[in-house]
Amino acid sequence: MDTLLQKLRAVAEPTRMRLLALCAEEELTVKDLTEIVTQTQSGISHHLKQLCESGLLERRQEGTWAFYRASSQEPGRRVVTALLSLLPAGNDQLALDRERLRML
């Protein structure tokens, strides 16, 4: 139960939930995410660290770039799928994030 609670605490903040939703769509860098979410690099990095530590995101290093995506490992993958299924379909902020993602 502690593992699940850790994951839920990690997404119990709007920005982290937005980042999780975006990283479930495709693999993204901190630079990509700062442009989409319009927050500082340090703030985004802090949120990503928490999501990675909780097992909801995976980080892949390629040279000097770090890429983030939704976890492909259990139980993180199941939790991500369940959480994303609960997101409201008509949420304006999530729709704007997806639009900005398409423009990258």
Side-chain angles (χ1 to χ4, degrees), residues 14-100:
T15 299
R16 287 194 291 270
M17 193 67 201
R18 290 170 63 195
L19 295 173
L20 182 64
L22 287 163
C23 290
E25 302 249 345
E26 67 180 78
E27 196 174 58
L28 297 164
T29 66
V30 173
K31 182 180 182 301
D32 296 332
L33 291 165
T34 58
E35 290 177 15
I36 295 168
V37 180
T38 65
Q39 292 187 16
T40 65
Q41 179 272 327
S42 62
I44 295 295
S45 293
H46 174 76
H47 290 308
L48 291 171
K49 180 180 180 195
Q50 289 183 309
L51 289 166
C52 287
E53 287 176 352
S54 72
L56 295 173
L57 287 185
E58 296 173 351
R59 181 180 189 270
R60 178 180 66 83
Q61 192 76 33
E62 189 174 301
T64 59
W65 291 95
F67 294 86
Y68 295 86
R69 65 177 178 206
S71 179
S72 61
Q73 304 296 311
E74 295 299 343
R77 182 178 58 171
R78 275 185 291 141
V79 174
V80 169
T81 301
L83 289 170
L84 295 178
S85 74
L86 296 172
L87 288 175
N91 183 279
D92 291 338
Q93 185 63 66
L94 295 174
L96 179 59
D97 288 347
R98 285 187 193 102
E99 183 179 322
R100 288 177 177 157

